[in-house]
Amino acid sequence: QVQLVESGGGLVQPGGSLRLSCAASGSIFDINYMGWYRQAPGKERELVAEIISSRSPSYADFVKGRFTIARDNGKKMVFLQMNNLKPEDTAVYSCNAKISTVDNRWSYLHYWGQGTQVTVSS
């Protein structure tokens, strides 16, 4: 069984910062993709930032220059440093990873975390 658990959300004032973390656990053989998505009330879920193995990170235009994604492969974690937060960044942020398991090493499946709420408000 594979699990993704996010942490680090909360309430922050405009211009503030938060750092989200996502930890993967279980019988993991390999992770070749990790990304952050968000969904605001009444809106579709959208990609925020992602890292694909051996490639440079990529970002949605609306977070470029403000957010930074990073992986710790040894700890099976991905982070999202969010700076200069704006009210429109308010959303539930979820971690997604493409993972193969010890029992099925060459088959990759997408897994989702439960999400963490980020609220930007004065």
Side-chain angles (χ1 to χ4, degrees):
Q1 180 119 6
V2 172
Q3 276 193 319
L4 298 178
V5 178
E6 301 100 333
S7 60
L11 173 64
V12 63
Q13 292 187 341
S17 298
L18 283 174
R19 185 176 186 246
L20 305 183
S21 300
C22 172
S25 63
S27 301
I28 296 171
F29 177 70
D30 185 46
I31 303 174
N32 69 0
Y33 169 91
M34 298 192 88
W36 287 97
Y37 292 72
R38 71 185 189 185
Q39 186 168 22
K43 294 188 176 181
E44 297 283 321
R45 184 164 57 195
E46 57 186 358
L47 173 67
V48 175
E50 62 185 0
I51 296 182
I52 303 172
S53 294
S54 75
R55 301 183 188 177
S56 298
S58 62
Y59 299 90
D61 287 343
F62 53 78
V63 302
K64 281 182 180 177
R66 301 188 298 125
F67 291 10
T68 302
I69 188 171
R71 273 185 69 172
D72 183 329
N73 292 329
K75 295 182 179 179
K76 299 183 180 66
M77 296 185 72
V78 65
F79 307 95
L80 186 68
Q81 178 66 42
M82 305 186 294
N83 298 328
N84 191 22
L85 283 160
K86 305 175 181 180
E88 52 264 41
D89 293 319
T90 295
V92 174
Y93 285 71
S94 299
C95 171
N96 177 271
K98 198 172 180 184
I99 296 172
S100 69
T101 61
V102 172
D103 293 336
N104 205 357
R105 298 184 177 190
W106 311 117
S107 176
Y108 288 81
L109 298 177
H110 280 281
Y111 293 86
W112 288 94
Q114 82 289 350
T116 185
Q117 177 69 46
V118 171
T119 302
V120 185
S121 174
S122 55

